[in-house]
Amino acid sequence: MAKAPVLTPQAEDFPRWYQDLINKAELADNGPVRGTMVIRPYGYGLWERMQQEMDARIKEAGAQNAYFPLFIPQSYLTKEAEHVEGFAPELAVVTHGGGKELEEPVVVRPTSETIINDYFSKWVQSYRDLPLLINQWANVVRWEMRPRVFLRTSEFLWQEGHTAHATYEDARDYAAHIHRNVYGDFMTNVLGIDVVLGRKTAKERFAGAINTLTLEGMMGDGKALQMGTSHELGTNFAKAFNTSYLSRDSKQELVWQTSWGVSTRMVGGLIMSHGDDNGLRVPPRLAHVQVVVMAIKGDEAVAKVRELGDRLKAAGIRVFVDDRVDTPFGRRAVDWELKGVPVRIEIGPRDLENGTAMLARRIPGGKEPVQIDSLVDLLPKVLDEDQAQLLRESRERREARTTDVTTVEAAGEAAVAGGWARIPWDVLGPEGEAKLAEQAVSVRCLIAEDGSVPEADDAPGTLAIVARSY
């Protein structure tokens, strides 16, 4: 009788495969309160690497990290009507504290536009104070009715950037810079996901924004996942909080603002973009463990893997030394495969006699013997090849499963069948968008014919990307 697979096959039940992988690879558990999650050390290590890569790019864009309170006075959210209306169903509200009813209820942070703008209005006095570029790494709470670990949870981790500028043009350009050079660069070149950069329709725009820029990734089942967003807020919040400055012409002017964020949802996107029936596959540039050096058995093998581990670490490779010879080798190998570590170096007594090791590559698959002394020079090349392969596979899947259509009906059929549709926006329009919503199909973003981001919804030649989504 054939052994049962470790994971439910993707083709059989993709959502079940996703949940199996999270459990078996020890990425996360469900929390005690519905919709919450416990991120386990290996899963948190992925998030930490995402933080490190993103934080460096955010700081390079000129933003500085700060921290704002978790609790927000409820009255703050009522100052910007569209914003509070957009978040009202998701709010968690605290009415009692210290055994007493609060004089004013407080909202558990769903996002920080309101509280940050309250302080921006104090900090910005003159054009000399601009631009003000702030980023926050924090948790937020949005009461989720249909939770799924990493993708939709009532509490999740993220970064949220908030900026104030002297002019519309400065704010617009900064939002676009974050969208393209911070998020786009990270997702393409580190996560290895060939995201589409586009513009949200008015229906899908962030509550309180005048424009939302999005990054959409195609998952392994053909659905779309919004990986991150960058918003132009115009002067909406500046009006609500009276955030103004004295210009060079000695006139009082409202600031122009942006906000932007990515979250632990990216961990879910990583799983669904690159995982296969054997588990996760982690892009080498992201992996907090790029190479695991494994002793198969024997004291001499243990000594050798420790020595090799030190040499590889000194060469700048992120290494874990697995010298747990009291645990069966096969079980350990399967565990590392499930976790998606890009490379395993396996060394046993016979390998030592020959001065070789077995090189197992998770991303393309396969094993081959290599000289131990060659590994310091060989591994960086192998890791670069595997990083490129994941991005190539992501791009090829998206291109193969995207169909150009000319009718609303054909767009819906392509999305329901498990792919993306590309349709002229002047053919689809808001009426077609509403019709597709009846099939649980949405317009993920608008793009120009050359793949760039259009300057307006009605720009000539604008195309809509249509899909089912997470």
Side-chain angles (χ1 to χ4, degrees), residues 20 92 177 194 202 269 341 381 392 425 455:
D20 283 354
H177 177 77
D194 189 49
V341 171
K381 299 173 186 176
R392 184 170 61 250
W425 175 242
E455 294 185 3

Side-chain angles (χ1 to χ4, degrees), residues 385-402:
E385 288 175 3
D386 292 355
Q387 179 78 32
Q389 177 171 332
L390 286 179
L391 179 60
R392 184 170 61 250
E393 289 179 4
S394 175
R395 179 176 297 117
E396 289 172 352
R397 176 176 63 240
R398 180 177 61 79
E399 291 176 347
R401 299 180 71 168
T402 300

